[in-house]
Amino acid sequence: SAERVGGTENIDAYDAYLRGRALYDTSSSEAEDRAALAQFDAAIAADPNYAAAHAARSRSLAYIASNYASGDQLQALHQEAIAAARRAIVLGPDLADAHSTLGYTLFKTELDVRGARAPLDRSRVLGAGEATVQGRFAIYAAAFGRIAEAKAAIERARELDPLNPLVHSAEGYVRYAARDYAAVAAPIMKALELNPKMGGTYCFIGNASLMLGQIADAAKAFAQEPNDMFRLPGIAIVEWKRGNKRLAQEAMDKLSAIFGNGALYQQGQVLAQWGDKRASLAALEKAWEARDSGMTFLNFDPLLDMLRQEPRFASLLVKMGFK
C-alpha cells in the first residue's frame, strides 16, 4: 500500500502524521496550517526516516509560503520545502507522493517549470492509484497548457477519491486554466460542500465570473473568500470596474500593507485590470525575482491577457520555462 512505501512502524509518528493530514486537508486559516506543520514535525521527531511525513512537511511549508508569507520569509521557506521533498525521495525512492511533492514544490516555490516536469511525470506513473498525486499532476499540466492531460488526470483523481475536497478544487483550477469559465463554479462548490472553510477557492468563482462579465456574482464570490491574499485583489478589480476607485485603491493598499512583497503577483493582476500595463509588468518582474508562487498562473491567467503582446511579458514566460 501507499502507506507501506515510505511509511512507519512507529504508532506515535503515524498518529501525528494523520493529525497533520487532517489539519492540512481542511486548512481554513494560517493557524491551522501551522498546526499541521507542527504535527508533521512531531511525526519526523518520532521517526526521522518516515518519508511520507517529510513529503507532507514539504507541502505544508510550500503552502504556508504561498498563502501567508511576507516577501522576506519566502526564500527560507522555499529552501526548506525543497529540502524536505528531496529527503522524502531519498527515504522512499518509490513513494509517488514524494516525487509528486518535489515536482509541485519546485514548481510552486522556485518557479522551476522545467525542473518540476520529471518528478511530476514520474509521480503520475508511480501514483496511478492516488488521487492527490493525480490532482497535483493535473494542476501542473493545466498551468503548462497540457489541458487534455490535466483533464484526464483530474477525472482519474475524482474516480479514486470523490469525497476529497482538494480534488474538486483542483478540477475548478483545471477548468479555469482551460478557460471553461461557466464550468468553474460547480466543482468549487462541491469542494466547499465537503470543506466549507477551505480558503483560496471562492476567488476562482470570482475570477470566472469576472471573465463572464458577471460583476455582481464576482463581488459576491470575492466577499466570501476567507484568504486576504485572494479576496483583496478581487475587490480591487471589481470596485474599479464599478467605478469605485477609492474602494479599489483601499483594497490594494490593504493588500500591500498585509503582505508587502508577498503578493506582488496579485498586485500585477490588479494593475493590469486597472489598465496600467507598465506598473503591472514591473510588479510581475519583481514577483519573478521574489519567486512569488502566483507566477505559476502566468501562462494562462486571463486577468493578464492585455499584456500578452508585450515583449517584457514574453520574456517572463521564457525565463520561467513556459516558452
Side-chain angles (χ1 to χ4, degrees):
S1 79
E3 283 309 334
R4 199 148 297 169
V5 179
T8 184
E9 302 288 312
N10 183 307
I11 295 293
D12 292 337
Y14 188 58
D15 183 58
Y17 171 78
L18 290 179
R19 286 170 195 271
R21 281 296 296 264
L23 285 162
Y24 179 84
D25 288 349
T26 61
S27 85
S28 63
S29 66
E30 182 172 2
E32 259 183 36
D33 283 306
R34 292 199 179 273
L37 178 61
Q39 291 293 340
F40 298 136
D41 285 339
I44 291 164
D47 179 359
N49 296 323
Y50 191 178
H54 285 276
R57 178 172 186 268
S58 168
R59 290 193 300 279
S60 251
L61 288 161
Y63 189 82
I64 287 166
S66 84
N67 285 274
Y68 310 113
S70 57
D72 55 348
Q73 301 168 323
L74 288 178
Q75 197 61 38
L77 284 166
H78 288 175
Q79 286 173 347
E80 223 182 318
I82 291 166
R86 292 196 191 282
R87 182 83 191 121
I89 289 175
V90 169
L91 294 167
D94 293 328
L95 182 63
D97 199 43
H99 292 275
S100 172
T101 297
L102 177 63
Y104 194 71
T105 304
L106 285 169
F107 179 52
K108 279 286 189 186
T109 66
E110 286 301 290
L111 309 183
D112 185 356
V113 174
R114 288 201 186 93
R117 186 166 190 159
L120 279 160
D121 283 343
R122 176 142 173 72
S123 76
R124 194 185 179 191
V125 176
L126 286 172
E130 293 174 54
T132 49
V133 167
Q134 297 298 315
R136 270 176 236 133
F137 175 85
I139 285 174
Y140 172 77
F144 211 101
R146 293 156 66 181
I147 299 295
E149 283 180 80
K151 284 182 173 172
I154 209 69
E155 268 175 42
R156 176 86 182 117
R158 210 177 48 223
E159 282 163 20
L160 289 164
D161 193 355
L163 296 180
N164 187 331
L166 298 173
V167 167
H168 295 284
S169 78
E171 183 179 348
Y173 175 105
V174 169
R175 289 180 174 186
Y176 185 69
R179 300 189 169 222
D180 187 1
Y181 303 122
V184 169
I188 296 289
M189 292 316 290
K190 182 71 183 165
L192 286 161
E193 199 181 296
L194 295 163
N195 174 15
K197 297 191 296 183
M198 197 175 206
T201 42
Y202 275 110
C203 59
F204 276 106
I205 297 178
N207 287 335
S209 299
L210 276 178
M211 290 304 121
L212 293 167
Q214 298 163 350
I215 304 300
D217 289 346
K220 205 170 121 188
F222 289 127
Q224 289 174 279
E225 171 57 60
N227 190 321
D228 287 336
M229 193 179 285
F230 307 113
R231 185 180 72 256
L232 292 168
I235 291 170
I237 292 168
V238 162
E239 294 304 342
W240 187 273
K241 287 189 184 297
R242 286 173 157 174
N244 301 329
K245 296 197 173 174
R246 188 182 56 79
L247 287 176
Q249 189 63 56
E250 273 174 21
M252 184 68 147
D253 291 345
K254 200 169 170 190
L255 182 72
S256 302
I258 295 171
F259 296 103
N261 280 347
L264 286 164
Y265 183 79
Q266 284 77 14
Q267 291 175 35
Q269 289 177 309
V270 173
L271 291 162
Q273 288 294 304
W274 286 3
D276 192 341
K277 284 188 188 181
R278 184 173 295 177
S280 174
L281 286 164
L284 294 173
E285 285 163 351
K286 280 173 75 177
W288 159 250
E289 293 302 330
R291 298 300 183 268
D292 181 323
S293 68
M295 291 290 281
T296 55
F297 288 79
L298 196 72
N299 195 40
F300 70 82
D301 191 345
L303 295 174
L304 303 177
D305 279 356
M306 66 290 297
L307 302 176
R308 293 195 182 275
Q309 302 308 313
E310 302 287 327
R312 286 165 68 185
F313 189 84
S315 153
L316 283 170
L317 287 174
V318 169
K319 278 180 189 164
M320 285 189 65
F322 279 125
K323 291 280 178 277

